[in-house]
Amino acid sequence: MYKTKAYAAASATSPLTATTIPRREPTERDVQIEILFCGICHSDLHSVRNEWSEFLPTTYPIVPGHEIVGRVAKVGSAVTQFKPGDLAAVGCLVDSDGTCLHCKAGLEQFCPNLTLTFNSPDKHLGGVTYGGYSAIMVVDERFVLRVPSNLALAGAAPLLCAGITTYSPMRHWVVTRGKKVGVVGLGGLGHMAVKFAHALGAHVVVFTTSPSKKEDALRLGADEVVVSRHTDEMRKHAGSFDFILDAVSGEHDINAYVNLLGRDGNITLVGAPAKPLGVSAFALIMARRSLSGSNIGGIAETQEMLDFCGAHNITADVEVIPIQKVNEAYDRLLKSEVKYRFSIDMASLKSE
Ligand SMILES: [Zn+2]
Ligand SMILES: [Zn+2]
Protein backbone atom coordinates (compact mmCIF):
# COMPACT_ATOMS: atom_id res chain seq x y z
CA MET A 1 0.00 0.00 0.00
CA TYR A 2 1.08 3.57 -0.71
CA LYS A 3 -0.46 7.02 -0.66
CA THR A 4 -1.53 9.03 -3.69
CA LYS A 5 -2.91 12.54 -4.12
CA ALA A 6 -6.66 13.01 -4.43
CA TYR A 7 -9.56 15.41 -3.91
CA ALA A 8 -12.07 14.30 -1.30
CA ALA A 9 -15.09 15.60 0.61
CA ALA A 10 -15.13 14.99 4.38
CA SER A 11 -18.91 15.37 4.81
CA ALA A 12 -22.11 16.09 2.88
CA THR A 13 -21.63 19.80 3.45
CA SER A 14 -17.85 20.02 2.94
CA PRO A 15 -16.19 21.16 -0.28
CA LEU A 16 -13.78 18.83 -2.04
CA THR A 17 -10.21 19.50 -0.90
CA ALA A 18 -6.75 18.06 -1.52
CA THR A 19 -5.79 15.01 0.50
CA THR A 20 -3.98 11.70 0.16
CA ILE A 21 -5.58 8.27 -0.08
CA PRO A 22 -4.23 4.71 0.01
CA ARG A 23 -3.89 2.64 -3.16
CA ARG A 24 -2.83 -1.01 -3.38
CA GLU A 25 0.29 -2.36 -5.03
CA PRO A 26 -0.91 -4.01 -8.26
CA THR A 27 -1.71 -7.69 -7.74
CA GLU A 28 -0.90 -10.05 -10.61
CA ARG A 29 -4.17 -9.20 -12.39
CA ASP A 30 -4.08 -5.44 -11.75
CA VAL A 31 -3.35 -2.47 -13.94
CA GLN A 32 -1.98 0.67 -12.30
CA ILE A 33 -3.11 3.78 -14.16
CA GLU A 34 -1.82 7.32 -13.99
CA ILE A 35 -5.03 9.34 -14.39
CA LEU A 36 -4.94 12.06 -17.06
CA PHE A 37 -8.57 13.23 -17.23
CA CYS A 38 -11.68 12.59 -15.17
CA GLY A 39 -15.14 13.76 -16.22
CA ILE A 40 -17.58 15.22 -13.70
CA CYS A 41 -20.80 13.22 -13.64
CA HIS A 42 -23.94 14.38 -11.87
CA SER A 43 -23.76 11.26 -9.70
CA ASP A 44 -20.42 12.50 -8.32
CA LEU A 45 -22.29 15.47 -6.93
CA HIS A 46 -25.23 13.38 -5.65
CA SER A 47 -22.81 11.10 -3.82
CA VAL A 48 -20.63 13.87 -2.39
CA ARG A 49 -23.73 15.52 -0.94
CA ASN A 50 -25.26 12.19 0.13
CA GLU A 51 -28.42 12.87 -1.88
CA TRP A 52 -28.93 9.18 -2.61
CA SER A 53 -28.70 8.23 1.09
CA GLU A 54 -31.75 5.91 0.88
CA PHE A 55 -30.16 3.38 -1.46
CA LEU A 56 -26.48 4.34 -1.73
CA PRO A 57 -25.44 6.12 1.47
CA THR A 58 -22.09 7.86 1.23
CA THR A 59 -19.12 6.83 3.36
CA TYR A 60 -16.79 9.76 4.06
CA PRO A 61 -14.27 10.80 3.02
CA ILE A 62 -15.47 10.31 -0.55
CA VAL A 63 -13.29 10.57 -3.66
CA PRO A 64 -15.75 10.61 -6.60
CA GLY A 65 -15.09 10.24 -10.32
CA HIS A 66 -15.99 7.39 -12.70
CA GLU A 67 -15.18 8.86 -16.11
CA ILE A 68 -11.50 8.09 -16.14
CA VAL A 69 -8.82 8.04 -18.82
CA GLY A 70 -5.13 7.66 -18.20
CA ARG A 71 -1.93 5.91 -19.05
CA VAL A 72 -0.82 2.53 -17.78
CA ALA A 73 2.09 2.89 -15.34
CA LYS A 74 2.53 -0.71 -14.18
CA VAL A 75 0.88 -4.09 -14.75
CA GLY A 76 0.74 -7.32 -12.74
CA SER A 77 2.46 -10.47 -14.01
CA ALA A 78 -0.76 -12.10 -15.27
CA VAL A 79 -2.02 -9.05 -17.18
CA THR A 80 -2.16 -9.73 -20.91
CA GLN A 81 -4.14 -6.88 -22.48
CA PHE A 82 -2.17 -3.86 -21.24
CA LYS A 83 1.44 -2.77 -20.93
CA PRO A 84 3.06 0.33 -19.45
CA GLY A 85 2.52 3.37 -21.69
CA ASP A 86 -0.85 2.21 -23.08
CA LEU A 87 -3.90 4.44 -22.85
CA ALA A 88 -6.54 3.00 -20.53
CA ALA A 89 -9.98 3.92 -19.25
CA VAL A 90 -12.14 3.04 -16.27
CA GLY A 91 -15.87 3.63 -15.93
CA CYS A 92 -18.43 3.09 -13.17
CA LEU A 93 -17.41 -0.48 -12.25
CA VAL A 94 -14.13 -1.89 -11.00
CA ASP A 95 -15.15 -5.43 -10.04
CA SER A 96 -17.98 -7.98 -9.98
CA ASP A 97 -18.34 -11.65 -8.96
CA GLY A 98 -17.95 -12.91 -12.53
CA THR A 99 -20.19 -15.89 -11.77
CA CYS A 100 -23.81 -14.68 -11.62
CA LEU A 101 -26.26 -14.74 -14.55
CA HIS A 102 -25.67 -11.08 -15.28
CA CYS A 103 -21.88 -11.35 -15.32
CA LYS A 104 -22.12 -14.42 -17.55
CA ALA A 105 -24.29 -12.39 -19.93
CA GLY A 106 -21.70 -9.60 -20.01
CA LEU A 107 -24.00 -7.33 -18.03
CA GLU A 108 -21.79 -6.73 -15.00
CA GLN A 109 -23.69 -3.53 -14.20
CA PHE A 110 -26.54 -5.67 -12.82
CA CYS A 111 -24.34 -7.98 -10.74
CA PRO A 112 -25.54 -8.14 -7.11
CA ASN A 113 -21.91 -8.25 -6.01
CA LEU A 114 -20.48 -5.48 -8.16
CA THR A 115 -17.91 -3.00 -6.90
CA LEU A 116 -18.53 0.56 -7.97
CA THR A 117 -15.57 2.77 -8.77
CA PHE A 118 -16.19 4.91 -5.69
CA ASN A 119 -18.09 4.60 -2.41
CA SER A 120 -18.32 0.80 -2.67
CA PRO A 121 -16.75 -1.69 -0.20
CA ASP A 122 -13.08 -2.16 -1.19
CA LYS A 123 -12.21 -5.89 -1.19
CA HIS A 124 -8.48 -5.24 -1.17
CA LEU A 125 -7.88 -2.46 1.34
CA GLY A 126 -11.10 -2.43 3.36
CA GLY A 127 -13.04 0.82 3.66
CA VAL A 128 -14.56 2.06 0.41
CA THR A 129 -13.28 2.45 -3.13
CA TYR A 130 -11.93 5.81 -4.20
CA GLY A 131 -12.64 7.20 -7.66
CA GLY A 132 -10.93 9.18 -10.36
CA TYR A 133 -10.37 12.55 -8.68
CA SER A 134 -6.93 11.16 -7.86
CA ALA A 135 -3.48 10.77 -9.37
CA ILE A 136 -3.36 6.99 -9.57
CA MET A 137 -5.77 4.11 -9.52
CA VAL A 138 -5.35 0.35 -9.54
CA VAL A 139 -7.98 -1.78 -11.27
CA ASP A 140 -8.44 -5.43 -12.17
CA GLU A 141 -7.59 -5.87 -15.85
CA ARG A 142 -11.09 -7.21 -16.59
CA PHE A 143 -12.50 -3.76 -15.80
CA VAL A 144 -9.97 -1.68 -17.72
CA LEU A 145 -10.96 -0.44 -21.19
CA ARG A 146 -8.86 0.38 -24.24
CA VAL A 147 -9.05 3.94 -25.63
CA PRO A 148 -8.83 4.46 -29.41
CA SER A 149 -5.71 6.53 -30.07
CA ASN A 150 -7.46 9.08 -32.31
CA LEU A 151 -9.74 10.37 -29.55
CA ALA A 152 -8.95 13.60 -27.67
CA LEU A 153 -8.55 12.38 -24.10
CA ALA A 154 -10.34 15.20 -22.25
CA GLY A 155 -13.47 14.54 -24.31
CA ALA A 156 -13.04 10.77 -24.16
CA ALA A 157 -13.33 10.65 -20.35
CA PRO A 158 -17.11 11.32 -20.23
CA LEU A 159 -17.69 8.43 -22.62
CA LEU A 160 -17.12 6.10 -19.67
CA CYS A 161 -20.42 7.10 -18.03
CA ALA A 162 -22.40 9.61 -20.13
CA GLY A 163 -21.35 7.77 -23.28
CA ILE A 164 -22.22 4.21 -22.32
CA THR A 165 -25.40 5.31 -20.52
CA THR A 166 -26.81 6.62 -23.79
CA TYR A 167 -25.18 4.16 -26.21
CA SER A 168 -26.37 0.99 -24.45
CA PRO A 169 -30.15 1.60 -24.66
CA MET A 170 -29.82 2.63 -28.30
CA ARG A 171 -28.16 -0.69 -29.09
CA HIS A 172 -30.67 -2.61 -26.99
CA TRP A 173 -33.64 -0.98 -28.76
CA VAL A 174 -31.89 -1.30 -32.14
CA VAL A 175 -31.46 2.29 -33.25
CA THR A 176 -30.37 2.10 -36.88
CA ARG A 177 -30.66 3.94 -40.18
CA GLY A 178 -34.27 4.72 -41.03
CA LYS A 179 -35.42 4.88 -37.39
CA LYS A 180 -36.88 8.04 -35.89
CA VAL A 181 -35.26 8.78 -32.54
CA GLY A 182 -36.09 11.43 -29.96
CA VAL A 183 -33.76 12.77 -27.28
CA VAL A 184 -35.36 14.57 -24.34
CA GLY A 185 -33.06 17.02 -22.57
CA LEU A 186 -29.82 18.35 -24.00
CA GLY A 187 -27.29 18.08 -21.17
CA GLY A 188 -24.34 15.80 -20.45
CA LEU A 189 -26.30 12.66 -21.35
CA GLY A 190 -28.53 14.18 -24.03
CA HIS A 191 -25.71 15.65 -26.08
CA MET A 192 -24.02 12.22 -26.23
CA ALA A 193 -27.33 10.61 -27.21
CA VAL A 194 -27.66 13.02 -30.14
CA LYS A 195 -24.15 12.18 -31.36
CA PHE A 196 -24.74 8.42 -31.13
CA ALA A 197 -28.19 8.43 -32.72
CA HIS A 198 -26.85 10.55 -35.57
CA ALA A 199 -23.82 8.28 -36.07
CA LEU A 200 -26.10 5.22 -36.04
CA GLY A 201 -27.95 6.77 -38.98
CA ALA A 202 -31.25 7.63 -37.29
CA HIS A 203 -33.41 10.68 -37.90
CA VAL A 204 -32.81 12.59 -34.66
CA VAL A 205 -35.26 14.96 -32.99
CA VAL A 206 -34.19 16.86 -29.88
CA PHE A 207 -36.79 18.00 -27.36
CA THR A 208 -35.76 20.94 -25.24
CA THR A 209 -37.41 23.55 -23.02
CA SER A 210 -34.94 26.23 -24.12
CA PRO A 211 -35.24 27.54 -27.71
CA SER A 212 -31.67 28.88 -27.26
CA LYS A 213 -30.34 25.33 -27.53
CA LYS A 214 -31.67 24.86 -31.06
CA GLU A 215 -28.51 25.79 -32.95
CA ASP A 216 -26.35 23.68 -30.71
CA ALA A 217 -28.60 20.66 -31.09
CA LEU A 218 -28.36 20.91 -34.88
CA ARG A 219 -24.57 21.26 -34.66
CA LEU A 220 -24.40 18.11 -32.51
CA GLY A 221 -26.28 16.11 -35.15
CA ALA A 222 -30.00 16.67 -34.63
CA ASP A 223 -32.21 16.78 -37.74
CA GLU A 224 -35.00 18.63 -35.95
CA VAL A 225 -35.45 20.48 -32.68
CA VAL A 226 -38.82 20.72 -30.91
CA VAL A 227 -39.47 23.14 -28.07
CA SER A 228 -41.45 20.88 -25.75
CA ARG A 229 -43.62 23.70 -24.38
CA HIS A 230 -45.05 24.32 -27.86
CA THR A 231 -48.00 21.92 -27.91
CA ASP A 232 -48.60 22.37 -31.64
CA GLU A 233 -45.04 21.42 -32.48
CA MET A 234 -45.31 18.37 -30.24
CA ARG A 235 -48.61 17.26 -31.77
CA LYS A 236 -47.08 17.20 -35.27
CA HIS A 237 -44.89 14.29 -34.13
CA ALA A 238 -47.66 12.23 -32.49
CA GLY A 239 -47.33 8.47 -33.00
CA SER A 240 -44.19 8.75 -35.12
CA PHE A 241 -41.16 7.72 -33.06
CA ASP A 242 -39.46 4.33 -32.91
CA PHE A 243 -37.44 5.20 -29.83
CA ILE A 244 -37.11 8.07 -27.38
CA LEU A 245 -34.32 8.47 -24.85
CA ASP A 246 -35.47 10.49 -21.84
CA ALA A 247 -32.46 12.04 -20.11
CA VAL A 248 -34.37 14.45 -17.87
CA SER A 249 -33.88 14.06 -14.13
CA GLY A 250 -36.32 16.81 -13.10
CA GLU A 251 -40.09 16.48 -12.97
CA HIS A 252 -41.73 16.37 -16.39
CA ASP A 253 -44.79 15.01 -18.19
CA ILE A 254 -43.73 11.59 -19.49
CA ASN A 255 -47.08 11.09 -21.28
CA ALA A 256 -46.30 13.96 -23.63
CA TYR A 257 -43.49 11.75 -24.96
CA VAL A 258 -45.20 8.35 -24.71
CA ASN A 259 -47.84 9.75 -27.08
CA LEU A 260 -45.17 10.55 -29.65
CA LEU A 261 -44.19 6.87 -29.95
CA GLY A 262 -45.45 4.79 -32.84
CA ARG A 263 -46.70 1.21 -32.54
CA ASP A 264 -44.20 -0.86 -30.53
CA GLY A 265 -42.21 2.28 -29.84
CA ASN A 266 -40.09 2.44 -26.72
CA ILE A 267 -39.16 5.24 -24.38
CA THR A 268 -36.18 4.57 -22.12
CA LEU A 269 -35.39 6.54 -18.99
CA VAL A 270 -31.78 7.30 -18.18
CA GLY A 271 -32.55 10.36 -16.04
CA ALA A 272 -33.94 9.58 -12.60
CA PRO A 273 -36.60 12.01 -11.33
CA ALA A 274 -36.92 11.69 -7.54
CA LYS A 275 -40.74 11.47 -7.61
CA PRO A 276 -42.65 8.59 -9.28
CA LEU A 277 -43.87 9.35 -12.80
CA GLY A 278 -47.60 9.35 -13.58
CA VAL A 279 -47.73 7.18 -16.69
CA SER A 280 -50.94 6.80 -18.66
CA ALA A 281 -51.63 3.06 -19.03
CA PHE A 282 -53.97 3.86 -21.91
CA ALA A 283 -51.18 5.55 -23.87
CA LEU A 284 -49.04 2.41 -23.54
CA ILE A 285 -51.79 -0.12 -24.23
CA MET A 286 -53.25 1.42 -27.35
CA ALA A 287 -50.09 1.10 -29.42
CA ARG A 288 -48.19 -1.67 -27.58
CA ARG A 289 -45.72 0.98 -26.51
CA SER A 290 -43.19 0.30 -23.78
CA LEU A 291 -41.47 2.30 -21.09
CA SER A 292 -38.16 1.09 -19.73
CA GLY A 293 -35.01 2.12 -17.94
CA SER A 294 -31.33 1.52 -18.55
CA ASN A 295 -28.22 1.67 -16.40
CA ILE A 296 -24.76 2.23 -17.96
CA GLY A 297 -23.60 -0.93 -19.78
CA GLY A 298 -21.44 -4.01 -19.33
CA ILE A 299 -17.69 -4.05 -19.88
CA ALA A 300 -17.83 -5.63 -23.36
CA GLU A 301 -20.42 -3.12 -24.51
CA THR A 302 -18.44 -0.25 -23.01
CA GLN A 303 -15.46 -1.36 -25.11
CA GLU A 304 -17.74 -1.63 -28.16
CA MET A 305 -18.91 1.94 -27.49
CA LEU A 306 -15.34 3.24 -27.21
CA ASP A 307 -14.41 1.48 -30.47
CA PHE A 308 -17.53 2.96 -32.12
CA CYS A 309 -16.41 6.40 -30.91
CA GLY A 310 -12.97 5.76 -32.37
CA ALA A 311 -14.44 4.78 -35.74
CA HIS A 312 -16.78 7.81 -35.82
CA ASN A 313 -14.46 10.21 -34.00
CA ILE A 314 -17.00 10.87 -31.25
CA THR A 315 -16.09 12.50 -27.94
CA ALA A 316 -18.05 14.57 -25.44
CA ASP A 317 -18.07 18.36 -25.71
CA VAL A 318 -16.10 19.33 -22.64
CA GLU A 319 -14.91 22.30 -20.65
CA VAL A 320 -11.52 21.35 -19.22
CA ILE A 321 -10.86 22.58 -15.68
CA PRO A 322 -8.09 22.15 -13.12
CA ILE A 323 -9.06 20.13 -10.03
CA GLN A 324 -8.88 23.32 -7.97
CA LYS A 325 -12.07 24.53 -9.73
CA VAL A 326 -14.10 21.42 -8.95
CA ASN A 327 -16.35 23.00 -6.29
CA GLU A 328 -17.15 25.90 -8.59
CA ALA A 329 -17.88 23.38 -11.35
CA TYR A 330 -20.40 21.59 -9.09
CA ASP A 331 -22.27 24.86 -8.55
CA ARG A 332 -22.33 25.50 -12.27
CA LEU A 333 -23.43 21.92 -12.96
CA LEU A 334 -26.50 22.49 -10.79
CA LYS A 335 -27.39 25.50 -12.92
CA SER A 336 -26.71 23.54 -16.16
CA GLU A 337 -23.99 26.06 -16.95
CA VAL A 338 -21.73 23.72 -18.86
CA LYS A 339 -21.57 22.63 -22.47
CA TYR A 340 -21.81 19.73 -21.92
CA ARG A 341 -19.46 18.08 -19.46
CA PHE A 342 -16.61 19.19 -17.23
CA SER A 343 -13.41 17.23 -17.67
CA ILE A 344 -10.76 17.62 -14.99
CA ASP A 345 -7.17 17.85 -16.20
CA MET A 346 -5.57 15.72 -13.51
CA ALA A 347 -2.10 17.17 -14.17
CA SER A 348 -3.38 20.04 -11.99
CA LEU A 349 -3.33 17.72 -8.98
CA LYS A 350 0.48 17.64 -9.09
CA SER A 351 0.70 21.19 -7.71
CA GLU A 352 -1.19 20.20 -4.51
ZN1 LIG B 1 -21.82 8.84 -14.01
ZN1 LIG C 1 -22.11 -11.08 -11.15
Side-chain angles (χ1 to χ4, degrees):
M1 196 187 81
Y2 49 92
K3 295 269 185 178
T4 188
K5 288 179 180 181
Y7 254 56
S11 78
T13 52
S14 312
L16 290 148
T17 53
T19 185
T20 59
I21 53 163
R23 290 293 192 197
R24 65 179 183 267
E25 283 297 342
T27 67
E28 59 177 17
R29 293 198 321 190
D30 281 336
V31 178
Q32 185 192 55
I33 299 164
E34 183 201 345
I35 301 174
L36 298 175
F37 290 95
C38 185
I40 297 181
C41 173
H42 216 109
S43 49
D44 298 354
L45 193 156
H46 285 302
S47 301
V48 163
R49 301 188 178 173
N50 204 10
E51 289 167 354
W52 288 341
S53 57
E54 274 173 48
F55 59 103
L56 256 183
T58 302
T59 301
Y60 293 95
I62 178 174
V63 177
H66 59 203
E67 295 184 334
I68 299 158
V69 295
R71 204 168 280 286
V72 175
K74 214 193 263 185
V75 297
S77 58
V79 169
T80 59
Q81 302 299 310
F82 294 90
K83 58 181 191 314
D86 286 350
L87 290 173
V90 179
C92 306
L93 312 174
V94 289
D95 207 353
S96 72
D97 58 25
T99 56
C100 74
L101 282 177
H102 308 295
C103 287
K104 282 186 176 154
L107 299 168
E108 297 87 355
Q109 74 271 33
F110 303 122
C111 177
N113 300 307
L114 59 77
T115 304
L116 295 170
T117 301
F118 60 83
N119 193 39
S120 219
D122 186 328
K123 285 185 207 164
H124 298 265
L125 297 179
V128 292
T129 51
Y130 295 126
Y133 296 11
S134 58
I136 286 171
M137 74 188 298
V138 180
V139 179
D140 186 302
E141 176 184 32
R142 295 177 301 134
F143 289 82
V144 182
L145 289 309
R146 293 180 305 279
V147 183
S149 59
N150 58 311
L151 297 181
L153 295 183
L159 299 175
L160 279 300
C161 178
I164 187 60
T165 297
T166 50
Y167 179 85
S168 181
M170 286 199 207
R171 297 291 286 161
H172 183 76
W173 293 99
V174 198
V175 169
T176 52
R177 193 164 300 282
K179 297 281 177 82
K180 186 173 175 184
V181 170
V183 175
V184 188
L186 195 63
L189 293 174
H191 98 288
M192 287 311 310
V194 173
K195 291 186 186 207
F196 285 134
H198 176 73
L200 288 164
H203 181 87
V204 188
V205 182
V206 167
F207 297 96
T208 176
T209 50
S210 19
S212 62
K213 285 192 176 167
K214 188 163 187 168
E215 245 171 71
D216 232 23
L218 296 172
R219 175 184 63 80
L220 292 164
D223 297 287
E224 297 178 61
V225 181
V226 172
V227 178
S228 50
R229 281 183 274 110
H230 296 170
T231 325
D232 285 356
E233 268 187 70
M234 291 287 277
R235 203 172 291 139
K236 271 187 224 159
H237 291 273
S240 68
F241 281 86
D242 297 292
F243 176 73
I244 297 176
L245 191 82
D246 185 343
V248 177
S249 49
E251 263 184 78
H252 61 293
D253 176 17
I254 186 86
N255 297 310
Y257 298 102
V258 172
N259 284 317
L260 301 189
L261 294 170
R263 194 198 70 223
D264 292 321
N266 171 268
I267 180 165
T268 291
L269 307 177
V270 288
K275 282 193 194 156
L277 299 163
V279 185
S280 158
F282 206 68
L284 293 175
I285 289 168
M286 292 315 284
R288 203 163 57 186
R289 294 158 170 154
S290 62
L291 164 67
S292 54
S294 188
N295 176 31
I296 51 172
I299 294 301
E301 192 174 52
T302 304
Q303 188 62 61
E304 178 194 306
M305 179 274 306
L306 286 168
D307 294 342
F308 181 86
C309 288
H312 295 268
N313 211 9
I314 292 173
T315 52
D317 285 24
V318 289
E319 178 178 336
V320 179
I321 59 160
I323 188 81
Q324 290 79 7
K325 291 221 163 150
V326 68
N327 296 299
E328 198 182 300
Y330 276 21
D331 292 339
R332 287 179 52 203
L333 184 62
L334 284 175
K335 294 184 236 162
S336 301
E337 280 178 13
V338 57
K339 282 186 173 172
Y340 282 90
R341 206 73 157 172
F342 289 108
S343 185
I344 307 168
D345 181 352
M346 296 308 303
S348 58
L349 190 56
K350 294 199 171 104
S351 64
E352 292 288 346

